[in-house]
Amino acid sequence: MSAASTAAVGHVLQGVGVGRRAVVGPVAQVRPAPHVAADAPLLVDGVPADVATAHAHVEQAFADVAARLREQSGRSTGTVKDVLAATAQMADDRALRTQVLARIDAGEPVVGAIDGIVEMFATMFEQAGGYLAERVTDLRSVRDRVVAAAMGLPAPGVPSLERPSVIVAKDLAPADTAALDLANVLAIVTELGGPTGHTAIIAGQLGLPCIVRVAGATALADGADVAVDAADGTVTVDPSEDQRAELERRATVERTLESDTAPGATADGRAVALLANIGTAEDAARVAGGGVEGVGLFRTEVLFLESTAAPSQEAQAAVYTRVLRSFGDRKVVVRTLDAGADKPLAFATQPDEENPALGVRGYRLVRTHPELLDTQLEALAHAQTATGTTPWVMAPMIATAAEAREFARRARAAGVATVGVMIEVPAAALRAQEILAEVDFVSLGTNDLAQYTMATDRLRGELADLLDPWQPAVLDLVDATARAGQQARKPVGVCGESASDPVLALVLVGLGVTSLSMSAGAVPAVRYALRHHTTAECATMAAAALAAPSAAEGRSAVVGLLHADVRETLGV
């Protein structure tokens, strides 16, 4: 697609949206990576540098890049801070730097040496898949910054913004995202990436509309007005006055919905707890004052993934205590460490695995490093005692009732009072009745459940249609789990992205789900949808979704059952 055709008035680019918000604003293209030939000489005072000088320049470039990233991390908070610190660690990585310098010492040109080693590491990460595959963007960001610093070129990244703008990039590294002047950022649009990548996560944390995998986005002209609609996953060039008015109407509706902070419930009074997903103690402090009823998913792996040694019981207990105190007597569901294989730990490295998504991850780490789980459970019990608040503690990647039984034994032995597990493996959903006999509650992780049910890598954006949580086969497993919960009279929550869709939320409640956890910004629309439909109406919608032959037809059928005023208000 040419730049001219892409910029045509009313032209629509399609991608994968993250969130529901929509904005209109001018495009601000991110400065691309420096394009320098692999054999380009490094010039010092106009003269090609000798090997020793090139070595010194590149070594200093790595150090400077790492220092700037650490400085940015120090000025940031929450997930942004952690991601920047991880990228700084990558720039500081001894293996990466040593291998580049060794090539330079052998006489290889600077850019060729950097490119060769970075691409070798990138290939390794991509083959590993999962979390490591997501880090490839960070790795290449380090490459671009080091090449620019070594060759005396301007650093790539976001331009200085003089007015509120839509940031557009091929891909946006976390370091670039963290450097954004939030007062002047309306939305983020990228050609690459995925809805679970770092850019999307950070955009969600910052409350920015985000659309990834938008083909042709980098051909948009700087300054061109675009409408970014995360709900539809569309970018419209020079939107019409009618479209602008509609987006402003939606923004007004969102603000109105946010003013309602009452507990979640259906029109006939059935309580449905509306909870937030968080990753850090800072996230907890940020969302605790909003209209959420607690936490449905506290991803504790952030404490582990960027550490070179396992965090101590004391360090963990301090974080868990902060989170519990942020929410007082409100419910906080804590997921124990979900790492290993595709999210490797520096202190618990696993042997090479051909398929990390099916490897030693989550609860399965107890097979090789049981002390990690036991220490975490003891820290959670300590936080429980220190606050007088009982966390709901659950294990990820449980596949059998025997695993659920053993996790519950360990947790209760440590002093944890309320114990559950995640249902994200089809085997666990099919045997939910037996699993619920061993624990106090379960929570459906619909992102992984869809991945395993549809045999589709959740990081492959081009397969997003198969990962659609409206897939009838995925809903069948949710239905089986919810029915098992009703029979056992035990809570069944959902903490995957499906909970943030106000239309799908009605289906989940109709299936018997008792709580919904999502990004805090998604809660108001879900609360509104629930309040305007009865439990019986939700059940009718659930039956329609289960009976549909496809995801698209299922959603269409349910949208047709919505009250007309709800369809209009939510724009569905």
Side-chain angles (χ1 to χ4, degrees), residues 470 472 541 544-546 548-559:
W470 284 89
M541 294 175 187
L546 289 173
S550 70
E553 290 168 288
R555 190 175 196 281
S556 177
V558 173
V559 167

Side-chain angles (χ1 to χ4, degrees), residues 257-275:
L257 297 182
E258 288 171 0
S259 67
D260 181 359
T261 58
T266 57
D268 55 325
R270 175 188 162 191
V272 181
L274 301 180
L275 311 168

Side-chain angles (χ1 to χ4, degrees), residues 246-271:
E246 171 59 18
L247 295 188
E248 179 54 37
R249 183 198 69 80
R250 281 176 48 189
T252 301
V253 168
E254 292 287 340
R255 289 191 290 270
T256 301
L257 297 182
E258 288 171 0
S259 67
D260 181 359
T261 58
T266 57
D268 55 325
R270 175 188 162 191

Side-chain angles (χ1 to χ4, degrees), residues 258-528:
E258 288 171 0
S259 67
D260 181 359
T261 58
T266 57
D268 55 325
R270 175 188 162 191
V272 181
L274 301 180
L275 311 168
N277 295 340
I278 65 171
T280 65
E282 290 79 11
D283 289 346
R286 178 175 53 82
V287 305
V292 300
E293 298 171 61
V295 170
L297 175 63
F298 175 16
R299 302 179 178 96
T300 60
E301 56 267 20
V302 174
L303 288 167
F304 294 79
L305 291 175
E306 312 304 356
S307 301
T308 56
S312 67
Q313 178 184 326
E314 293 75 15
Q316 292 186 56
V319 173
Y320 305 149
T321 297
R322 286 176 61 196
V323 171
L324 293 178
R325 285 182 174 154
S326 290
F327 285 91
D329 59 358
R330 285 177 284 175
K331 176 179 179 179
V332 175
V333 181
V334 182
R335 181 175 70 188
T336 58
L337 180 61
D338 186 15
D342 65 328
K343 290 182 272 190
L345 301 173
F347 44 87
T349 303
Q350 300 298 312
D352 291 340
E353 294 176 309
E354 291 186 3
N355 193 335
L358 304 182
V360 181
R361 59 166 289 200
Y363 174 73
R364 298 173 183 181
L365 275 172
V366 78
R367 297 169 181 247
T368 54
H369 293 278
E371 73 282 357
L372 294 177
L373 176 62
D374 291 338
T375 298
Q376 185 171 27
L377 292 172
E378 289 162 5
L380 285 162
H382 180 86
Q384 176 180 276
T385 301
T387 61
T389 301
T390 301
W392 294 38
V393 180
M394 62 183 181
M397 283 297 290
I398 292 292
T400 68
E403 287 181 337
R405 184 184 312 119
E406 176 59 16
F407 173 72
R409 183 194 68 76
R410 285 177 178 270
R412 290 171 179 145
V416 173
T418 305
V419 183
V421 300
M422 290 196 70
I423 304 293
E424 49 198 339
V425 177
L430 293 171
R431 290 285 176 168
Q433 186 171 357
E434 288 85 347
I435 287 175
L436 277 161
E438 307 294 342
V439 295
D440 304 313
F441 72 97
V442 297
S443 184
L444 285 146
T446 52
N447 298 343
D448 269 328
L449 185 62
Q451 169 176 244
Y452 294 126
T453 302
M454 305 305 293
T456 303
D457 188 338
R458 58 187 282 194
L459 300 180
R460 302 299 300 186
E462 67 269 31
L463 299 177
D465 59 312
L466 294 177
L467 290 168
D468 192 326
W470 284 89
Q471 285 287 352
V474 177
L475 292 178
D476 282 340
L477 294 176
V478 174
D479 179 44
T481 304
R483 282 189 283 107
Q486 291 171 328
Q487 293 168 6
R489 297 182 181 276
K490 293 182 178 179
V492 175
V494 169
C495 60
E497 285 304 309
S498 59
S500 64
D501 177 350
V503 182
L504 187 49
L506 297 173
V507 170
L508 297 174
V509 170
L511 293 173
V513 167
T514 58
S515 66
L516 300 168
S517 189
M518 63 204 82
S519 61
V523 169
V526 172
R527 177 186 287 113
Y528 176 84

Side-chain angles (χ1 to χ4, degrees), residues 87-101:
T87 309
Q89 283 186 338
M90 191 173 287
D92 253 340
D93 185 81
R94 179 173 298 180
L96 177 65
R97 188 180 306 194
T98 298
Q99 291 190 49
V100 169
L101 294 174

Side-chain angles (χ1 to χ4, degrees), residues 11 41 93 130 177 206-207 218 276 403:
H11 186 79
D93 185 81
T177 311
L206 299 175
T218 56
E403 287 181 337

Side-chain angles (χ1 to χ4, degrees), residues 38-42 49-51 54-55 58 99-117:
D39 60 354
L42 171 61
D50 58 25
V51 169
H55 180 115
V58 173
Q99 291 190 49
V100 169
L101 294 174
R103 287 200 179 192
I104 291 171
D105 291 342
E108 191 167 340
V110 165
V111 178
I114 296 171
D115 285 351
I117 295 302

